[in-house]
Amino acid sequence: MKAFFILGFLLTICAHASATSEVYTTQRGQVFKKVPNDSFGVAWMAPDGSVWSQYQGTFSNQGTLASDTGVSVILKSESTEVCANIGGELPSIEQFRTLAKYFEDTTEFQILFPFPESQNLFWTRDGIPGFARFAKLSPILDPFGDLTSETKKLAVMCIH
């Protein structure tokens, strides 16, 4: 039991140390690369090539919807504008699901993408009239994509 605790502690130290470098390898063997992005601040390129910003704060997601493809997408809201202002866009629920698969758990996710524990619900660009879809990233890294009122102030991360 003591050996498992020590091993876990050492893995955490190694993960924190490598997160300060230019490359971070998750416990699942997925490689993230730190990329220069003046507007995103510290940005990380995921194994699929998508670039993710840090936590941007909390905003509402009430806005204009488009549904050309049968899926409603929020085009213009406070949250989408935050991302547009830094050269990105609000991620879809599928993009959050892909990102989550690269990590073992929320603790490891927060090494690269720290956010206040009280802000564990992140807006996505997916929605239906009056409601927007969010990704829940804590206490379990499982972005199931539930719906809530688009006027709520939830956390925002952006993707490029």
Side-chain angles (χ1 to χ4, degrees), residues 13-137:
I13 289 174
C14 290
H16 281 286
S18 61
T20 61
S21 67
E22 300 299 311
V23 175
Y24 175 80
T25 303
T26 69
Q27 292 176 31
R28 293 190 171 168
Q30 302 296 316
V31 178
F32 281 76
K33 296 177 184 167
K34 191 181 289 186
V35 293
N37 188 314
D38 293 339
S39 31
F40 268 34
V42 176
W44 290 94
M45 181 182 292
D48 65 359
S50 60
V51 177
W52 288 81
S53 77
Q54 297 296 307
Y55 165 81
Q56 299 295 308
T58 58
F59 305 92
S60 70
N61 204 14
Q62 184 174 17
T64 309
L65 282 174
S67 55
D68 307 358
T69 62
V71 176
S72 293
V73 176
I74 298 165
L75 297 177
K76 189 170 174 95
S77 71
E78 186 178 27
S79 293
T80 61
E81 289 299 303
V82 166
C83 291
N85 288 340
I86 62 170
E89 58 186 21
L90 202 58
S92 69
I93 189 63
E94 287 306 317
Q95 288 168 317
F96 268 115
R97 287 178 180 148
T98 299
L99 181 65
K101 289 178 186 175
Y102 300 135
F103 295 93
E104 191 66 34
D105 55 32
T106 301
T107 303
E108 185 183 31
F109 179 86
Q110 285 195 299
I111 292 168
L112 291 188
F113 304 106
F115 61 88
E117 191 59 37
S118 62
Q119 301 300 326
N120 64 342
L121 304 178
F122 284 77
W123 281 126
T124 72
R125 66 176 175 234
D126 307 312
I128 60 173
F131 296 93
R133 197 167 296 285
F134 64 86
K136 184 173 184 177
L137 301 182

